[in-house]
Amino acid sequence: MEIITRQQRMASVAKKLRRDNLVLGFVATMGALHEGHLSLIQKARQMCDQVIVSVFVNPTQFNEETDFEQYPRDLTADAEFLSPYDVDYVFAPEASEIYGDNFTTFVTVDDISDKLEGSSRPGHFRGVATVVTILLNTIRPDFAFFGQKDAQQVAVIRRLVRDLRFDTEIVVMPIVREESGLALSSRNELLSESDRAAAAVIYKSLQAAKEAFENGEKSSGNLTDKVSEVLDSEERARTDYIALVDPNSLEPVEKVGDDPVLLAVAARIGDVRLIDNVILNEKQ
Ligand code: PAF
């Protein structure tokens, strides 16, 4: 496993691999790697000849300077985490390698970036779309792997890749959960032990709505009320939003029909804001 820190070296290594007709798989991360990332890496390993993982805490997607500064960074621990999994390259640039002098070009995926997470994190998806564009242009992978936990990020990246004709196929992997149901996230590390136990209520609330849906409930109002009822039963939880939307356009859905719909939640447990989701009517 080679660790590459220079953007030009990453681009030339990837170019050579493509010339050798190798299928390139790419997993973009901000480090603090966990089993959720692992599922992406393992899928990339299965599907591709070469696996490249980026570790880059992207400054342009943080709304608050302190959040950016406090984001966990430990490349040695991340490299150790990756070492058993046959990753070929880790791309771990400094911010100056990605955003050079006089960097003024940003990528905005209109409309869907402003919904859900976008309303409390203005500019977040502009930062994500911009860095993903730079990473895809550097590596030009055949496949790039993302986690369903960040459902809106998936919608934004799919749209970006479609609209700007990137020659990369996006592969989305299911959410990986702790035994309690809590979705794996680097942010879970910020939870106290009791808050971590309380955070299991988020998935419980989604499961309650999913069960109601499977028993015939189709109304958005009733399904989101179900989520809210369960979340409110946990005194440490404060709901930010509960939304039933189309997974691609993120437009609200009033009544679930035959198509898949995304039921998404954001809630604070203590000081930590967590997101989670389930798909209703998921096509197998
Ligand atoms: O999901 C993440 O970790 C980040 O948003 C990503 C896709 C690596 C872009 O910085």
Side-chain angles (χ1 to χ4, degrees):
M1 183 173 86
E2 183 187 344
I3 298 181
I4 296 178
T5 56
R6 298 275 179 216
Q7 191 271 342
Q8 279 198 349
R9 161 112 184 116
M10 185 69 256
S12 68
V13 165
K15 190 171 183 178
K16 162 130 190 2
L17 297 172
R18 287 196 308 277
R19 280 220 188 107
D20 292 344
N21 278 328
L22 295 167
V23 176
L24 303 195
F26 173 52
V27 180
T29 82
M30 297 210 298
L33 300 176
H34 53 65
E35 304 288 313
H37 298 110
L38 194 54
S39 81
L40 309 180
I41 291 161
Q42 284 172 329
K43 188 69 179 173
R45 193 64 282 167
Q46 268 171 26
M47 290 176 60
C48 306
D49 298 317
Q50 294 281 301
V51 176
I52 302 164
V53 176
S54 64
V55 174
F56 178 61
V57 182
N58 173 33
T60 62
Q61 70 188 74
F62 286 82
N63 301 87
E64 284 162 29
E65 189 69 23
T66 50
D67 200 14
F68 171 63
E69 276 159 14
Q70 281 164 13
Y71 201 86
R73 291 166 176 84
D74 189 344
L75 184 58
T76 312
D78 288 333
E80 248 169 55
F81 178 91
L82 292 174
S83 62
Y85 301 109
D86 203 12
V87 167
D88 298 286
Y89 298 93
V90 175
F91 179 40
E94 291 293 328
S96 55
E97 282 292 308
I98 298 295
Y99 301 108
D101 288 345
N102 300 320
F103 186 95
T104 51
T105 306
F106 289 87
V107 181
T108 306
V109 179
D110 271 351
D111 189 40
I112 55 173
S113 294
D114 301 328
K115 301 177 191 304
L116 307 181
E117 288 299 291
S119 54
S120 54
R121 302 172 75 186
H124 169 70
F125 289 110
R126 180 177 96 139
V128 171
T130 302
V131 79
V132 168
T133 298
I134 296 168
L135 293 168
L136 292 182
N137 278 336
T138 298
I139 296 165
R140 299 179 50 205
D142 298 279
F143 298 96
F145 299 80
F146 294 91
Q148 172 61 23
K149 176 170 162 292
D150 295 305
Q152 184 169 8
Q153 173 167 283
V154 164
V156 167
I157 292 171
R158 279 196 197 284
R159 187 73 68 88
L160 166 76
V161 163
R162 186 201 72 178
D163 287 354
L164 299 187
R165 279 39 168 208
F166 282 95
D167 193 10
T168 295
E169 190 176 314
I170 302 301
V171 180
V172 179
M173 293 300 289
I175 299 176
V176 181
R177 299 181 181 281
E178 291 185 355
E179 225 171 87
S180 69
L182 176 64
L184 294 196
S185 161
S186 309
R187 281 175 190 269
N188 295 354
E189 300 313 314
L190 304 171
L191 294 164
S192 66
E193 209 177 306
S194 55
D195 281 348
R196 202 171 180 122
V201 75
I202 299 177
Y203 185 54
K204 272 196 203 113
S205 71
L206 291 167
Q207 280 293 88
K210 193 165 185 183
E211 211 176 291
F213 168 72
E214 279 157 9
N215 289 326
E217 183 58 70
K218 300 281 158 73
S219 140
S220 169
N222 293 343
L223 290 166
T224 52
D225 281 353
K226 194 87 200 153
V227 178
S228 171
E229 207 177 280
V230 179
L231 280 175
D232 289 348
S233 69
E234 171 52 66
E235 60 177 21
R236 289 167 193 259
R238 271 174 300 127
T239 306
D240 192 346
Y241 63 75
I242 303 167
L244 190 77
V245 296
D246 176 279
N248 299 311
S249 67
L250 306 182
E251 284 296 326
V253 169
E254 288 307 316
K255 196 162 185 267
V256 187
D258 294 333
D259 295 327
V261 293
L262 174 72
L263 179 57
V265 167
R268 275 180 196 277
I269 306 289
D271 291 336
V272 185
R273 189 172 177 282
L274 299 173
I275 57 171
D276 199 351
N277 67 81
V278 290
I279 299 274
L280 305 180
N281 259 345
E282 190 157 28
K283 303 271 181 281
Q284 294 310 324

